[in-house]
């Protein structure tokens, strides 16, 4: 019997080794899944890998072996924190409800890496029993756990949790956690959250000396669709150039004709990046924006004319070519 068990484990390890070879990977994965429980010990051992590229394959295969659940639960309870976290991620893939109680325990455990991964797994499984502990996790001392709790709660799309996520969006001391809150609200697409997203847009914490951080916030506002158009038009008048620039970009992405005239005004904004963003957005409207852009070609400011020329060149309309030919006579080189 020991010989038989050893033989099966050796076969499993052979197949696991083949996962590193892209030409053998699919066949090896199918073989491991067919082996079922016989492959589980070796696959769990493989979770210790330092190769981040191979780890997802081990996890995906274990998620497709139902008989792996007891061993994975044991791993989540007792193993090294790295393995516990990786086991939690597997339950997020399989959405195995048999792991819910163990994941809830892990969410309250000692290791923050395990708490964060347990939070995300619970969000993906979607059991309402997790909501209370996830709300508590929004106040966890570790940034990674607060971020994971936001993302998990966003997956529930439960309006009862939106106020708590909004508090994180506006008040958390770490931008990474606020970004997670924005992504969570982006999932909900709940119009009632739009005023808070706009409030965040006006908060320089989001973009002062780190404009890259605002991407998640801008995506969340964009996902609100037509409801965001009027607040964004209003934001074109904000005292901060960065806010005006972001508003102009978003209006171009939303493509609502109500924005053409206001963007035509901010085309003349003396903040170079705002004028450029307005011109780029107007170009996305195509023919309806041609008149506004042509009018700007007579402005005395060099950069306004340049922005308008570039924008017009992106619009397929019969009126554009004659105008661009005229601009060859512009006094500025």
């Amino acid at each position: 019997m020991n010989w038989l068990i050893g033989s099966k484990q050796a076969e499993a390890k052979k197949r696991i080794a083949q996962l590193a070879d892209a030409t053998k990977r699919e066949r090896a994965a199918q073989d491991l899944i067919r082996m079922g429980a016989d492959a589980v010990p070796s696959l769990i051992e493989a979770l210790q890998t330092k190769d981040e590229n191979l780890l997802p394959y081990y996890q995906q295969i274990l998620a497709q072996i139902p008989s792996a659940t007891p061993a994975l639960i044991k791993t989540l309870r007792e193993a090294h924190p790295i393995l516990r976290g990786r086991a939690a991620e597997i339950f997020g893939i399989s959405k195995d409800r048999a792991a819910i109680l163990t994941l809830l325990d892990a969410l309250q455990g000692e290791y923050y890496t395990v708490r964060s991964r347990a939070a995300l797994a619970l969000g993906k499984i979607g059991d309402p029993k997790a909501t209370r502990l996830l709300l508590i996790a929004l106040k966890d001392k570790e940034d990674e756990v607060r971020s994971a709790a936001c993302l998990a709660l966003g997956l529930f799309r439960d309006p009862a949790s939106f106020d708590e996520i909004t508090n994180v969006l506006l008040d958390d001391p770490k931008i990474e956690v606020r970004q997670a809150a924005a992504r969570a609200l982006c999932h909900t697409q709940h119009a009632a959250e739009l005023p808070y997203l706009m409030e965040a847009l006006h908060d320089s914490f989001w973009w002062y000396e780190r404009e890259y951080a605002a991407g998640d916030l801008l995506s969340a506002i964009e996902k609100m669709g037509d409801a965001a158009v009027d607040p964004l038009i209003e934001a074109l008048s904000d005292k901060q150039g960065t806010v005006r620039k972001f508003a102009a970009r978003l209006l171009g992405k939303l493509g609502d004709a109500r924005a053409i005239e206001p963007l035509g005004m901010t085309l003349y904004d003396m903040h170079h990046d705002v004028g450029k963003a307005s011109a780029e957005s107007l170009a996305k409207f195509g023919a309806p924006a041609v008149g506004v852009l042509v009018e700007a070609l007579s402005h005395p400011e060099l950069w306004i004319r340049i922005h308008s020329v570039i924008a017009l060149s992106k619009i397929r309309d019969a009126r554009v070519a004659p105008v661009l030919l005229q601009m060859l006579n512009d006094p500025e080189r």
Side-chain angles (χ1 to χ4, degrees):
M1 181 61 71
N2 289 336
W3 174 86
L4 180 60
I5 293 172
S7 175
K8 290 179 177 179
Q9 289 180 347
E11 181 65 19
K13 289 181 178 180
K14 177 183 175 182
R15 296 289 181 247
I16 290 169
Q18 290 174 346
L19 293 171
D21 185 339
T23 64
K24 299 179 180 179
R25 185 173 296 147
E26 185 174 352
R27 176 64 182 272
Q30 292 299 326
D31 288 344
L32 287 163
I33 293 169
R34 278 194 292 270
M35 290 179 71
D38 291 327
V40 169
S42 297
L43 283 165
I44 290 179
E45 182 181 343
L47 292 176
Q48 300 177 66
T49 182
K50 294 181 180 179
D51 190 335
E52 296 290 334
N53 294 316
L54 287 174
L55 178 61
Y57 296 114
Y58 305 150
Q59 292 177 311
Q60 289 285 347
I61 293 168
L62 280 164
Q64 295 181 67
I65 301 177
S67 58
T69 296
L72 286 170
I73 287 176
K74 181 176 171 50
T75 301
L76 181 54
R77 286 176 177 162
E78 302 173 3
H80 185 279
I82 291 177
L83 282 180
R84 293 188 193 186
R86 291 174 176 180
E89 289 173 338
I90 293 169
F91 288 125
I93 298 168
S94 67
K95 298 179 174 58
D96 189 342
R97 300 177 71 84
I100 289 173
L101 292 179
T102 307
L103 287 167
L104 289 171
D105 287 340
L107 182 57
Q108 303 168 83
E110 176 183 0
Y111 302 104
Y112 76 91
T113 53
V114 182
R115 296 200 301 276
S116 64
R117 286 158 179 77
L120 287 171
L122 287 164
K124 291 174 181 177
I125 293 172
D127 191 289
K129 292 195 293 290
T131 303
R132 182 182 66 83
L133 289 178
L134 287 171
L135 288 169
I136 293 172
L138 291 177
K139 297 178 174 63
D140 195 281
K141 64 181 180 180
E142 296 290 345
D143 309 344
E144 188 175 323
V145 180
R146 298 198 302 279
S147 295
C150 282
L151 294 172
L153 286 165
L155 293 172
F156 283 89
R157 292 192 172 98
D158 181 1
S161 67
F162 292 173
D163 286 349
E164 296 296 331
I165 299 174
T166 298
N167 289 339
V168 176
L169 177 82
L170 299 175
D171 298 327
D172 197 276
K174 294 290 186 178
I175 187 62
E176 295 80 7
V177 183
R178 294 196 190 196
Q179 287 174 303
R183 291 198 296 275
L185 292 172
C186 185
H187 283 309
T188 69
Q189 297 183 31
H190 199 280
E193 297 307 304
L194 179 58
Y196 302 106
L197 293 169
M198 293 303 301
E199 183 178 345
L201 181 64
H202 291 281
D203 182 354
S204 62
F205 184 90
W206 274 92
W207 40 258
Y208 182 67
E209 294 187 345
R210 53 179 177 204
E211 287 192 22
Y212 70 89
D216 293 308
L217 175 62
L218 299 180
S219 294
I221 294 171
E222 183 184 351
K223 283 293 179 74
M224 296 294 169
D226 291 347
V229 173
D230 285 336
L232 286 170
I233 289 173
E234 183 178 347
L236 290 175
S237 302
D238 192 86
K239 64 181 180 179
Q240 295 290 346
T242 303
V243 174
R244 300 197 301 276
K245 176 179 69 177
F246 285 152
R249 285 181 183 173
L250 287 171
L251 286 166
K253 290 182 177 181
L254 289 170
D256 190 297
R258 288 174 290 172
I260 294 177
E261 184 177 347
L263 285 170
M265 298 297 293
T266 52
L267 189 60
Y268 302 97
D269 196 300
M270 288 296 102
H271 190 299
H272 178 275
D273 288 342
V274 177
K276 181 180 179 182
S278 298
E280 290 172 347
S281 288
L282 283 166
K284 293 178 181 178
F285 284 92
V290 168
V292 172
L293 289 165
V294 169
E295 184 178 350
L297 294 176
S298 60
H299 195 278
E301 175 60 44
L302 164 69
W303 288 110
I304 293 174
R305 300 201 303 280
I306 289 177
H307 292 156
S308 299
V309 164
I310 293 172
L312 282 166
S313 72
K314 298 176 181 178
I315 298 175
R316 298 303 180 102
D317 186 277
R319 293 169 290 173
V320 172
V323 171
L324 293 181
L325 286 169
Q326 288 179 9
M327 293 307 293
L328 290 174
N329 300 314
D330 191 277
E332 293 289 348
R333 179 176 61 84

mmCIF file of all heavy atoms in Angstrom, residues 100-131:
data_model
loop_
_atom_site.group_PDB
_atom_site.id
_atom_site.type_symbol
_atom_site.label_atom_id
_atom_site.label_comp_id
_atom_site.label_asym_id
_atom_site.label_seq_id
_atom_site.Cartn_x
_atom_site.Cartn_y
_atom_site.Cartn_z
ATOM 1 N N ILE A 100 -16.418 28.691 4.530
ATOM 2 C CA ILE A 100 -16.814 30.007 5.043
ATOM 3 C C ILE A 100 -16.441 30.196 6.511
ATOM 4 O O ILE A 100 -15.841 31.225 6.899
ATOM 5 C CB ILE A 100 -18.326 30.232 4.830
ATOM 6 C CG1 ILE A 100 -18.609 30.445 3.343
ATOM 7 C CG2 ILE A 100 -18.824 31.441 5.631
ATOM 8 C CD1 ILE A 100 -20.073 30.517 2.990
ATOM 9 N N LEU A 101 -16.759 29.249 7.366
ATOM 10 C CA LEU A 101 -16.475 29.419 8.792
ATOM 11 C C LEU A 101 -14.968 29.544 9.048
ATOM 12 O O LEU A 101 -14.534 30.368 9.869
ATOM 13 C CB LEU A 101 -17.058 28.247 9.589
ATOM 14 C CG LEU A 101 -18.591 28.173 9.624
ATOM 15 C CD1 LEU A 101 -19.046 26.951 10.425
ATOM 16 C CD2 LEU A 101 -19.177 29.452 10.237
ATOM 17 N N THR A 102 -14.187 28.767 8.347
ATOM 18 C CA THR A 102 -12.732 28.843 8.511
ATOM 19 C C THR A 102 -12.209 30.182 7.992
ATOM 20 O O THR A 102 -11.304 30.783 8.590
ATOM 21 C CB THR A 102 -12.047 27.680 7.770
ATOM 22 O OG1 THR A 102 -12.628 26.451 8.191
ATOM 23 C CG2 THR A 102 -10.560 27.651 8.080
ATOM 24 N N LEU A 103 -12.770 30.665 6.905
ATOM 25 C CA LEU A 103 -12.370 31.974 6.386
ATOM 26 C C LEU A 103 -12.750 33.091 7.344
ATOM 27 O O LEU A 103 -11.997 34.061 7.525
ATOM 28 C CB LEU A 103 -13.009 32.211 5.015
ATOM 29 C CG LEU A 103 -12.421 31.406 3.854
ATOM 30 C CD1 LEU A 103 -13.328 31.480 2.634
ATOM 31 C CD2 LEU A 103 -11.018 31.901 3.496
ATOM 32 N N LEU A 104 -13.912 32.968 7.982
ATOM 33 C CA LEU A 104 -14.317 33.969 8.967
ATOM 34 C C LEU A 104 -13.356 33.984 10.150
ATOM 35 O O LEU A 104 -13.008 35.049 10.669
ATOM 36 C CB LEU A 104 -15.748 33.694 9.439
ATOM 37 C CG LEU A 104 -16.850 33.975 8.410
ATOM 38 C CD1 LEU A 104 -18.194 33.460 8.901
ATOM 39 C CD2 LEU A 104 -16.940 35.463 8.099
ATOM 40 N N ASP A 105 -12.918 32.820 10.564
ATOM 41 C CA ASP A 105 -11.909 32.751 11.632
ATOM 42 C C ASP A 105 -10.604 33.396 11.169
ATOM 43 O O ASP A 105 -9.962 34.142 11.922
ATOM 44 C CB ASP A 105 -11.655 31.290 12.031
ATOM 45 C CG ASP A 105 -12.809 30.683 12.823
ATOM 46 O OD1 ASP A 105 -13.615 31.456 13.375
ATOM 47 O OD2 ASP A 105 -12.898 29.440 12.871
ATOM 48 N N ALA A 106 -10.220 33.108 9.924
ATOM 49 C CA ALA A 106 -8.968 33.659 9.396
ATOM 50 C C ALA A 106 -9.028 35.176 9.289
ATOM 51 O O ALA A 106 -8.014 35.863 9.468
ATOM 52 C CB ALA A 106 -8.677 33.044 8.023
ATOM 53 N N LEU A 107 -10.218 35.708 9.023
ATOM 54 C CA LEU A 107 -10.393 37.152 8.928
ATOM 55 C C LEU A 107 -10.113 37.849 10.260
ATOM 56 O O LEU A 107 -9.796 39.038 10.298
ATOM 57 C CB LEU A 107 -11.816 37.462 8.455
ATOM 58 C CG LEU A 107 -12.209 38.924 8.237
ATOM 59 C CD1 LEU A 107 -11.270 39.595 7.223
ATOM 60 C CD2 LEU A 107 -13.650 39.020 7.763
ATOM 61 N N GLN A 108 -10.210 37.108 11.331
ATOM 62 C CA GLN A 108 -9.960 37.660 12.665
ATOM 63 C C GLN A 108 -8.635 37.165 13.257
ATOM 64 O O GLN A 108 -8.367 37.351 14.436
ATOM 65 C CB GLN A 108 -11.101 37.247 13.603
ATOM 66 C CG GLN A 108 -12.475 37.667 13.114
ATOM 67 C CD GLN A 108 -13.586 37.010 13.898
ATOM 68 O OE1 GLN A 108 -13.958 37.481 14.982
ATOM 69 N NE2 GLN A 108 -14.118 35.902 13.390
ATOM 70 N N GLY A 109 -7.821 36.540 12.411
ATOM 71 C CA GLY A 109 -6.608 35.896 12.892
ATOM 72 C C GLY A 109 -5.449 36.842 13.114
ATOM 73 O O GLY A 109 -5.545 38.067 12.965
ATOM 74 N N GLU A 110 -4.311 36.249 13.410
ATOM 75 C CA GLU A 110 -3.117 36.993 13.819
ATOM 76 C C GLU A 110 -2.396 37.648 12.650
ATOM 77 O O GLU A 110 -1.840 38.744 12.782
ATOM 78 C CB GLU A 110 -2.169 36.030 14.539
ATOM 79 C CG GLU A 110 -0.841 36.625 14.934
ATOM 80 C CD GLU A 110 0.088 35.615 15.572
ATOM 81 O OE1 GLU A 110 -0.305 34.430 15.702
ATOM 82 O OE2 GLU A 110 1.220 36.012 15.921
ATOM 83 N N TYR A 111 -2.400 36.996 11.499
ATOM 84 C CA TYR A 111 -1.539 37.431 10.397
ATOM 85 C C TYR A 111 -2.319 38.280 9.386
ATOM 86 O O TYR A 111 -3.315 37.827 8.822
ATOM 87 C CB TYR A 111 -0.937 36.214 9.708
ATOM 88 C CG TYR A 111 -0.148 35.341 10.647
ATOM 89 C CD1 TYR A 111 -0.686 34.136 11.116
ATOM 90 C CD2 TYR A 111 1.108 35.726 11.101
ATOM 91 C CE1 TYR A 111 0.022 33.333 11.998
ATOM 92 C CE2 TYR A 111 1.829 34.934 11.991
ATOM 93 C CZ TYR A 111 1.276 33.740 12.434
ATOM 94 O OH TYR A 111 1.978 32.956 13.315
ATOM 95 N N TYR A 112 -1.819 39.484 9.153
ATOM 96 C CA TYR A 112 -2.577 40.402 8.308
ATOM 97 C C TYR A 112 -2.642 39.920 6.864
ATOM 98 O O TYR A 112 -3.630 40.171 6.157
ATOM 99 C CB TYR A 112 -2.005 41.814 8.387
ATOM 100 C CG TYR A 112 -0.726 42.041 7.619
ATOM 101 C CD1 TYR A 112 -0.749 42.479 6.297
ATOM 102 C CD2 TYR A 112 0.521 41.843 8.213
ATOM 103 C CE1 TYR A 112 0.418 42.694 5.585
ATOM 104 C CE2 TYR A 112 1.690 42.061 7.512
ATOM 105 C CZ TYR A 112 1.636 42.485 6.206
ATOM 106 O OH TYR A 112 2.795 42.701 5.508
ATOM 107 N N THR A 113 -1.603 39.222 6.392
ATOM 108 C CA THR A 113 -1.647 38.712 5.019
ATOM 109 C C THR A 113 -2.758 37.683 4.853
ATOM 110 O O THR A 113 -3.405 37.614 3.802
ATOM 111 C CB THR A 113 -0.303 38.076 4.639
ATOM 112 O OG1 THR A 113 0.050 37.096 5.621
ATOM 113 C CG2 THR A 113 0.798 39.127 4.569
ATOM 114 N N VAL A 114 -2.989 36.904 5.904
ATOM 115 C CA VAL A 114 -4.068 35.911 5.857
ATOM 116 C C VAL A 114 -5.419 36.615 5.979
ATOM 117 O O VAL A 114 -6.375 36.273 5.266
ATOM 118 C CB VAL A 114 -3.894 34.867 6.980
ATOM 119 C CG1 VAL A 114 -5.000 33.810 6.899
ATOM 120 C CG2 VAL A 114 -2.522 34.207 6.890
ATOM 121 N N ARG A 115 -5.496 37.611 6.863
ATOM 122 C CA ARG A 115 -6.758 38.343 7.017
ATOM 123 C C ARG A 115 -7.184 38.981 5.692
ATOM 124 O O ARG A 115 -8.361 38.923 5.309
ATOM 125 C CB ARG A 115 -6.625 39.432 8.090
ATOM 126 C CG ARG A 115 -6.360 38.925 9.487
ATOM 127 C CD ARG A 115 -6.706 39.936 10.566
ATOM 128 N NE ARG A 115 -5.991 41.197 10.481
ATOM 129 C CZ ARG A 115 -4.770 41.433 10.966
ATOM 130 N NH1 ARG A 115 -4.099 40.435 11.550
ATOM 131 N NH2 ARG A 115 -4.207 42.621 10.882
ATOM 132 N N SER A 116 -6.230 39.572 4.989
ATOM 133 C CA SER A 116 -6.589 40.254 3.733
ATOM 134 C C SER A 116 -7.083 39.266 2.680
ATOM 135 O O SER A 116 -8.075 39.520 1.992
ATOM 136 C CB SER A 116 -5.389 41.046 3.207
ATOM 137 O OG SER A 116 -4.326 40.190 2.858
ATOM 138 N N ARG A 117 -6.423 38.142 2.573
ATOM 139 C CA ARG A 117 -6.826 37.167 1.562
ATOM 140 C C ARG A 117 -8.132 36.468 1.934
ATOM 141 O O ARG A 117 -8.939 36.131 1.062
ATOM 142 C CB ARG A 117 -5.696 36.164 1.333
ATOM 143 C CG ARG A 117 -4.547 36.780 0.532
ATOM 144 C CD ARG A 117 -3.234 36.073 0.721
ATOM 145 N NE ARG A 117 -2.183 36.685 -0.088
ATOM 146 C CZ ARG A 117 -1.568 37.821 0.206
ATOM 147 N NH1 ARG A 117 -1.917 38.504 1.302
ATOM 148 N NH2 ARG A 117 -0.628 38.323 -0.577
ATOM 149 N N ALA A 118 -8.340 36.285 3.216
ATOM 150 C CA ALA A 118 -9.617 35.720 3.661
ATOM 151 C C ALA A 118 -10.758 36.684 3.344
ATOM 152 O O ALA A 118 -11.844 36.270 2.925
ATOM 153 C CB ALA A 118 -9.561 35.426 5.151
ATOM 154 N N ALA A 119 -10.506 37.980 3.519
ATOM 155 C CA ALA A 119 -11.532 38.985 3.216
ATOM 156 C C ALA A 119 -11.922 38.916 1.744
ATOM 157 O O ALA A 119 -13.119 38.886 1.403
ATOM 158 C CB ALA A 119 -11.014 40.378 3.565
ATOM 159 N N LEU A 120 -10.939 38.881 0.866
ATOM 160 C CA LEU A 120 -11.235 38.836 -0.566
ATOM 161 C C LEU A 120 -11.969 37.550 -0.952
ATOM 162 O O LEU A 120 -12.896 37.576 -1.759
ATOM 163 C CB LEU A 120 -9.934 38.949 -1.362
ATOM 164 C CG LEU A 120 -9.286 40.334 -1.367
ATOM 165 C CD1 LEU A 120 -7.896 40.276 -1.984
ATOM 166 C CD2 LEU A 120 -10.159 41.341 -2.094
ATOM 167 N N ALA A 121 -11.560 36.430 -0.347
ATOM 168 C CA ALA A 121 -12.234 35.164 -0.642
ATOM 169 C C ALA A 121 -13.692 35.215 -0.204
ATOM 170 O O ALA A 121 -14.595 34.762 -0.927
ATOM 171 C CB ALA A 121 -11.509 34.017 0.052
ATOM 172 N N LEU A 122 -13.945 35.782 0.951
ATOM 173 C CA LEU A 122 -15.326 35.888 1.443
ATOM 174 C C LEU A 122 -16.161 36.783 0.535
ATOM 175 O O LEU A 122 -17.338 36.508 0.290
ATOM 176 C CB LEU A 122 -15.324 36.425 2.875
ATOM 177 C CG LEU A 122 -14.847 35.425 3.933
ATOM 178 C CD1 LEU A 122 -14.495 36.142 5.230
ATOM 179 C CD2 LEU A 122 -15.911 34.358 4.193
ATOM 180 N N GLY A 123 -15.552 37.840 0.028
ATOM 181 C CA GLY A 123 -16.281 38.706 -0.904
ATOM 182 C C GLY A 123 -16.647 37.966 -2.178
ATOM 183 O O GLY A 123 -17.749 38.129 -2.707
ATOM 184 N N LYS A 124 -15.733 37.140 -2.675
ATOM 185 C CA LYS A 124 -15.999 36.392 -3.908
ATOM 186 C C LYS A 124 -17.029 35.290 -3.693
ATOM 187 O O LYS A 124 -17.819 34.989 -4.590
ATOM 188 C CB LYS A 124 -14.686 35.817 -4.447
ATOM 189 C CG LYS A 124 -13.748 36.901 -4.958
ATOM 190 C CD LYS A 124 -12.389 36.341 -5.345
ATOM 191 C CE LYS A 124 -11.462 37.452 -5.817
ATOM 192 N NZ LYS A 124 -10.099 36.955 -6.136
ATOM 193 N N ILE A 125 -17.024 34.695 -2.517
ATOM 194 C CA ILE A 125 -18.037 33.669 -2.206
ATOM 195 C C ILE A 125 -19.407 34.315 -2.050
ATOM 196 O O ILE A 125 -20.422 33.770 -2.485
ATOM 197 C CB ILE A 125 -17.644 32.892 -0.934
ATOM 198 C CG1 ILE A 125 -16.385 32.059 -1.197
ATOM 199 C CG2 ILE A 125 -18.790 31.972 -0.482
ATOM 200 C CD1 ILE A 125 -15.797 31.414 0.035
ATOM 201 N N GLY A 126 -19.435 35.493 -1.418
ATOM 202 C CA GLY A 126 -20.665 36.275 -1.352
ATOM 203 C C GLY A 126 -21.663 35.865 -0.295
ATOM 204 O O GLY A 126 -22.861 36.129 -0.452
ATOM 205 N N ASP A 127 -21.214 35.252 0.786
ATOM 206 C CA ASP A 127 -22.144 34.875 1.854
ATOM 207 C C ASP A 127 -22.403 36.073 2.763
ATOM 208 O O ASP A 127 -21.458 36.676 3.287
ATOM 209 C CB ASP A 127 -21.571 33.714 2.673
ATOM 210 C CG ASP A 127 -22.600 33.128 3.613
ATOM 211 O OD1 ASP A 127 -22.950 33.800 4.602
ATOM 212 O OD2 ASP A 127 -23.055 31.999 3.362
ATOM 213 N N PRO A 128 -23.684 36.437 2.986
ATOM 214 C CA PRO A 128 -24.003 37.612 3.806
ATOM 215 C C PRO A 128 -23.448 37.548 5.228
ATOM 216 O O PRO A 128 -23.291 38.586 5.882
ATOM 217 C CB PRO A 128 -25.544 37.631 3.823
ATOM 218 C CG PRO A 128 -25.943 36.850 2.614
ATOM 219 C CD PRO A 128 -24.899 35.803 2.428
ATOM 220 N N LYS A 129 -23.168 36.339 5.728
ATOM 221 C CA LYS A 129 -22.639 36.227 7.091
ATOM 222 C C LYS A 129 -21.296 36.950 7.244
ATOM 223 O O LYS A 129 -20.885 37.278 8.347
ATOM 224 C CB LYS A 129 -22.462 34.751 7.478
ATOM 225 C CG LYS A 129 -23.739 33.970 7.645
ATOM 226 C CD LYS A 129 -23.496 32.656 8.365
ATOM 227 C CE LYS A 129 -22.668 31.676 7.551
ATOM 228 N NZ LYS A 129 -23.392 31.140 6.376
ATOM 229 N N ALA A 130 -20.640 37.191 6.128
ATOM 230 C CA ALA A 130 -19.310 37.811 6.199
ATOM 231 C C ALA A 130 -19.370 39.328 6.359
ATOM 232 O O ALA A 130 -18.390 39.949 6.765
ATOM 233 C CB ALA A 130 -18.519 37.467 4.944
ATOM 234 N N THR A 131 -20.524 39.930 6.072
ATOM 235 C CA THR A 131 -20.596 41.389 5.995
ATOM 236 C C THR A 131 -20.177 42.068 7.291
ATOM 237 O O THR A 131 -19.401 43.031 7.287
ATOM 238 C CB THR A 131 -22.022 41.823 5.609
ATOM 239 O OG1 THR A 131 -22.383 41.212 4.377
ATOM 240 C CG2 THR A 131 -22.094 43.332 5.459
#
